[in-house]
């Protein structure tokens, strides 16, 4: 008989599952933003020959673009789509991977600490409206809707990082170590 | 300050820290040790501002076009047509590999899509015909360099944004260099075929060429449609990206190969890739702000200019420097750091910014085929099931034609500027 899992790993596994679910949700949100950008921009092109244009389309495309960028920040991290260079760590085997895992956690938490310290204040201070981003019920969308996804992603990345720190202490493996070192568009 | 910034950044990326956070940590550390330690709110503000740029909205659509081409079966048709056309040449499938990349480049703006999509088909076909797997993978990654040169190109959109150049001018400037890279690789493969025994295949009958041509005709039309629409002023670069996506969706439906599942997979892949790029851009804009405030680019410019006043020497130094950077830093972050730093020098030496952009683009692109950070090498070794070190070794000789073209582009500016000047007229805002 296999021993029952200890409570700590069980709690961590549950937290991991929840975070993966949120990551998947954010990832779907990103895809929706991209699809909406595609549809709205296509509508602009198709309506142009008929002399039709809606001034609210472009501001909303920009809002969707910013959302796409920031909502994707968390799933990109949690699903290992960020760009990392593994070769030096791999040269030193398991020790190299463990040391760089801890260094990575410290560095990411250091950056997130400063972002999370400043972002809430920035969100609160952004009281102005986005020109042209009209809402169906009247008025224009507030500028803070642009920064909220970044704040949410930073909070989720922090939570995922803390789970990973706990996993490191318990000797559990990290989630994405076999991903390609980068898959970005320029290249 | 700049030394701290770059040392922290390089050290952290070598320690497996995600690139965006390596930039972020370097910026935060530099802020904390500078006079701006009380102005930390600038960092998230710059990230937010950096992403909210209209000219960058073209990026996801050109990534998506590449992903949709793979999902819609366009890639297979391009390969079949190229195979019927040049497959009977010496080292035929290697030539097919290069030609396919040139055609693919006309719709896709990313080398990654070329390596992962076309690469899978090409390496498999070459292996089956008896080519060494490492050579098949090597020629695939070398020819993928063409993708981000021939328009549309995500890298050129980002450069245009950073160097304040028009996207259509940058796109036109990439055409001749992209074709030159393709031709140089084809010539190189032909030359090594004299000494190495590559498998041969019979010339395809005219009927076969016509059949694959008709089959791939709609895919072959795409580059002309995209560039034509931009140059005619009918659409913006972003809208051209959308047109490319719609065109690929149409082709996928016409070929009956695009399903909801593959469509949503392409959509999700694109969204993730875009987010990674945009977050790096956001952090890099914060870094750029710091560099600008501290007048680092001007300092670098004065220092380099004190070493040499020769434009030719500067170009040579710059190429070596960028090639080395490209070996360890991925293209997007490298460009985001290098462009603001090098632009004052470029202006000081009277180099056309469009010309510089193309040289920089190719020099950084060569990085995808060089270890240790060659993304292309990792992808082709993965899709081709070949050991990384074997591919890296097999790719080394193929870097020679790429570097020859790079030198030609650096010292013959007309290769980049002739076409945009001819079609759009000389750019009065650029120093010559």
């Amino acid at each position: 008989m296999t021993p029952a899992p200890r409570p700590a790993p069980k709690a961590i596994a549950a937290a991991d599952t929840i975070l993966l679910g949120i990551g998947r949700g954010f990832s779907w949100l990103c895809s929706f933003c991209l699809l909406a950008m595609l549809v709205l921009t296509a509508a602009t092109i198709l309506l142009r020959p008929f002399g039709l244009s809606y001034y609210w389309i472009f501001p909303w495309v920009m809002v969707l673009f910013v959302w796409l960028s920031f909502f994707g920040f968390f799933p990109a991290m949690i699903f290992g789509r960020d760009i990392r260079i593994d070769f030096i760590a791999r040269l030193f085997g398991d020790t190299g991977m463990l040391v760089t895992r801890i260094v990575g956690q410290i560095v990411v938490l250091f950056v997130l600490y400063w972002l999370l310290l400043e972002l809430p204040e920035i969100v609160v201070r952004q009281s102005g409206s986005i020109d042209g981003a009209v809402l169906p019920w009247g008025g224009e969308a507030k500028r803070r809707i642009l920064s909220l996804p970044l704040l949410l992603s930073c909070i989720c990345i922090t939570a995922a990082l803390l789970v990973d720190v706990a996993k490191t202490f318990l000797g559990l493996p990290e989630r994405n170590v076999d991903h390609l070192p980068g898959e970005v568009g320029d290249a | 300050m700049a030394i701290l910034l770059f040392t922290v950044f390089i050290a952290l990326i070598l320690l497996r820290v995600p690139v965006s956070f390596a930039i972020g940590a370097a910026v935060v550390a530099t802020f904390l040790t500078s006079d701006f330690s009380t102005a930390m709110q600038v960092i998230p503000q710059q990230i937010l501002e950096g992403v909210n740029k209209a000219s960058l909205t073209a990026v996801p659509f050109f990534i998506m076009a590449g992903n949709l081409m793979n999902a819609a079966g366009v890639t297979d048709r391009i390969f079949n047509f190229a195979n019927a056309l040049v497959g009977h040449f010496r080292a035929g499938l290697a030539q097919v590999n290069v030609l396919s990349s040139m055609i693919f480049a006309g719709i896709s703006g990313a080398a990654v899509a070329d390596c992962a999509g076309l690469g899978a088909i090409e390496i498999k076909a070459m292996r089956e015909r008896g080519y060494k797997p490492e050579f098949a993978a090597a020629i695939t990654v070398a020819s993928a360099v063409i993708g981000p040169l021939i328009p549309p190109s995500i890298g050129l959109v980002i450069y245009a944004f950073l160097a304040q150049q028009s996207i259509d001018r940058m796109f036109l400037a990439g055409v001749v260099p992209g074709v030159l890279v393709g031709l140089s690789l084809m010539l190189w493969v032909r030359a090594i075929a004299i000494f190495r025994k590559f498998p041969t295949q019979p010339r395809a009958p005219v009927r076969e060429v016509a059949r694959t041509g008709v089959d791939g005709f709609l895919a072959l039309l795409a580059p002309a449609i995209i560039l034509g629409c931009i140059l005619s002023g009918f659409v913006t670069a972003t809208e051209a990206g959308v047109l490319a996506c719609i065109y690929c969706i149409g082709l996928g439906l016409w070929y009956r190969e695009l399903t909801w599942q593959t469509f949503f997979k392409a959509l999700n892949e694109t969204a993730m890739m875009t987010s990674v790029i945009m977050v790096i851009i956001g952090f890099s804009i914060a870094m750029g702000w710091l560099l600008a405030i501290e007048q680092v680019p001007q300092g670098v410019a004065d220092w380099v200019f004190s070493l040499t006043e020769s434009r030719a020497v500067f170009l040579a130094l710059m190429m070596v420097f960028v090639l080395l950077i490209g070996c360890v830093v991925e293209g997007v972050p490298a460009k985001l750091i290098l462009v603001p730093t090098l632009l004052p020098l470029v202006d000081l030496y009277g180099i056309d910014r469009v010309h510089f952009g193309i040289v920089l683009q190719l020099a950084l692109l060569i990085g995808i085929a060089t270890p240790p950070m060659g993304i292309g090498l990792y992808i082709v070794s993965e899709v081709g099931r070949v050991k990384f070190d074997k591919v890296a070794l097999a790719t080394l000789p193929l870097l020679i034609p790429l570097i020859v073209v790079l030198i030609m582009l650096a010292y013959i500016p007309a290769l980049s500027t002739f076409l945009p000047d001819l079609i759009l007229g000389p750019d009065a805002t650029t120093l010559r």
Side-chain angles (χ1 to χ4, degrees):
Chain A
M1 258 178 73
T2 50
R6 287 177 296 157
K10 215 172 168 183
I12 287 168
D16 221 16
T17 310
I18 293 169
L19 286 166
L20 282 173
I22 297 172
R24 230 166 272 130
F26 276 25
S27 161
W28 275 101
L29 209 54
C30 284
S31 300
F32 169 77
C33 289
L34 181 59
L35 187 62
M37 281 173 71
L38 184 77
V39 171
L40 288 173
T41 314
T44 308
I45 304 167
L46 292 173
L47 292 174
R48 191 173 297 144
F50 304 103
L52 290 169
S53 65
Y54 297 97
Y55 71 96
W56 52 267
I57 289 184
F58 184 70
W60 272 109
V61 167
M62 283 309 299
V63 170
L64 290 164
F65 180 57
V66 175
W67 281 357
L68 157 68
S69 305
F70 292 142
F71 273 124
F73 191 19
F74 173 54
M77 286 291 291
I78 201 169
F79 296 128
R81 299 299 303 272
D82 49 339
I83 307 171
R84 291 178 197 224
I85 300 176
D86 288 359
F87 75 97
I88 290 182
R90 286 189 191 280
L91 282 179
F92 296 95
D94 288 346
T95 313
M97 294 301 276
L98 179 67
V99 169
T100 53
R101 182 182 183 184
I102 295 167
V103 170
Q105 289 165 348
I106 294 168
V107 171
V108 174
L109 284 173
F110 169 70
V111 177
L112 286 170
Y113 167 77
W114 286 103
L115 285 180
L116 287 173
L117 204 67
E118 301 293 343
L119 265 172
E121 201 185 323
I122 288 174
V123 173
V124 172
R125 262 193 283 139
Q126 285 182 315
S127 53
S129 303
I130 304 167
D131 284 342
V134 288
L135 296 163
W137 50 87
E140 287 173 332
K142 297 285 177 203
R143 289 195 67 81
R144 66 172 60 104
I145 64 163
L146 296 174
S147 44
L148 266 174
L150 179 61
L151 179 63
L152 287 174
S153 272
C154 285
I155 292 168
C156 290
I157 295 170
T158 308
L161 241 294
L162 293 174
V163 169
D164 198 45
V165 170
K167 279 177 163 179
T168 312
F169 276 112
L170 292 165
L172 297 172
E174 58 185 309
R175 196 177 291 109
N176 300 292
V177 286
D178 289 328
H179 67 277
L180 295 170
E183 291 181 359
V184 294
D186 175 49
Chain B
M1 187 212 74
I3 293 169
L4 174 73
L5 191 73
F6 290 118
T7 310
V8 172
F9 168 62
I10 299 283
L12 291 180
I13 57 167
L14 293 177
L15 285 169
R16 210 162 64 95
V17 174
V19 170
S20 51
F21 281 100
I23 299 173
V27 172
V28 172
T30 314
F31 258 80
L32 289 173
T33 53
S34 71
D35 300 336
F36 302 102
S37 56
T38 52
M40 297 300 281
Q41 73 278 6
V42 171
I43 300 173
Q45 274 171 356
Q46 287 296 315
I47 296 171
L48 289 164
E49 283 303 309
V51 171
N52 195 6
K53 292 281 184 285
S55 56
L56 293 173
T57 52
V59 171
F61 297 121
F62 289 127
I63 297 176
M64 194 175 176
N67 287 336
L68 282 171
M69 276 174 81
N70 291 331
V74 178
T75 316
D76 306 66
R77 283 164 176 83
I78 289 174
F79 179 80
N80 291 339
F81 174 62
N83 190 25
L85 208 63
V86 299
H88 60 282
F89 287 7
R90 277 231 185 154
L93 272 185
Q95 307 282 17
V96 170
N97 194 316
V98 181
L99 185 63
S100 300
S101 291
M102 288 168 78
I103 300 170
F104 189 87
I107 313 177
S108 166
V112 171
D114 184 321
C115 286
L118 258 178
I121 303 165
E122 290 164 344
I123 297 169
K124 184 171 173 278
M126 288 178 79
R127 282 181 95 137
E128 284 170 359
R129 295 282 163 82
Y131 284 83
K132 282 190 173 173
E134 56 268 29
F135 176 73
I139 188 72
T140 301
V141 69
S143 63
V145 165
I146 302 165
L149 275 174
I150 292 181
S153 161
I154 296 151
L156 292 180
V157 170
I158 293 173
Y159 176 80
F161 160 68
L162 293 169
Q164 293 171 333
Q165 295 296 302
S166 78
I167 294 175
D168 45 358
R169 186 169 285 278
M170 288 311 304
F171 275 6
L172 278 172
V175 175
V176 175
V179 173
L180 267 180
V181 169
L183 291 178
S184 72
L185 279 171
M186 289 178 94
L187 281 173
W188 184 260
V189 168
R190 177 67 185 81
I192 54 173
I194 298 169
F195 309 104
R196 284 171 65 175
K197 216 177 168 192
F198 286 118
T200 52
Q201 64 183 64
R203 180 190 286 268
V206 179
R207 191 187 292 174
E208 175 69 6
V209 178
R211 189 189 64 76
T212 54
V214 169
D215 204 25
F217 176 72
L218 292 172
L220 300 174
L221 262 186
I225 293 173
I226 294 167
L227 206 55
C229 283
I230 298 178
L231 295 178
S232 65
F234 178 66
V235 294
T236 62
T238 304
E239 290 170 350
V242 170
L243 276 184
C245 292
I246 294 171
Y247 194 74
C248 288
I249 293 169
L251 287 180
L253 295 174
W254 177 260
Y255 296 144
R256 292 170 190 247
E257 293 209 20
L258 190 68
T259 60
W260 282 111
Q261 202 183 358
T262 52
F263 174 72
F264 280 110
K265 190 167 176 264
L267 198 68
N268 195 257
E269 286 278 315
T270 307
M272 287 297 97
M273 270 192 202
T274 306
S275 180
V276 170
I277 293 175
M278 293 314 299
V279 169
I280 292 174
I281 288 179
F283 277 108
S284 303
I285 295 293
M287 185 187 255
W289 183 89
L290 201 57
L291 291 173
I293 287 286
E294 291 285 327
Q295 297 195 313
V296 173
Q298 287 77 4
V300 172
D302 291 344
W303 178 70
V304 175
F305 205 68
S306 71
L307 292 177
T308 177
E309 289 186 19
S310 160
R311 186 197 299 195
V313 176
F314 165 70
L315 279 169
L317 289 173
M318 192 268 293
M319 276 189 289
V320 174
F321 176 64
V322 176
L323 281 170
L324 290 174
I325 290 283
C327 289
V328 286
V329 185
E330 205 278 327
V332 173
K335 200 170 287 154
L336 289 161
I337 295 162
L338 288 175
V339 173
T341 312
L342 292 177
L343 271 186
L345 270 169
V346 168
D347 292 343
L348 203 62
Y349 283 101
I351 298 166
D352 189 314
R353 286 189 176 194
V354 172
H355 168 217
F356 169 71
I358 297 297
V359 175
L360 182 79
Q361 175 78 348
L362 179 57
L364 287 176
L365 277 170
I366 291 173
I368 72 163
T370 53
M373 186 48 200
I375 289 169
L377 291 177
Y378 285 94
I379 296 172
V380 293
S381 66
E382 185 78 16
V383 297
R385 302 268 166 248
V386 194
K387 278 194 168 178
F388 177 84
D389 49 342
K390 280 191 169 183
V391 186
L393 212 62
T395 308
L396 284 180
L398 295 169
L399 297 181
I400 295 170
L402 299 180
I403 290 171
V404 169
V405 175
L406 177 67
I407 294 168
M408 282 169 63
L409 290 178
Y411 293 106
I412 313 172
L415 290 174
S416 321
T417 56
F418 167 74
L419 200 60
D421 285 352
L422 181 75
I423 295 175
L424 302 172
D427 184 6
T429 62
T430 316
L431 288 166
R432 271 164 215 284

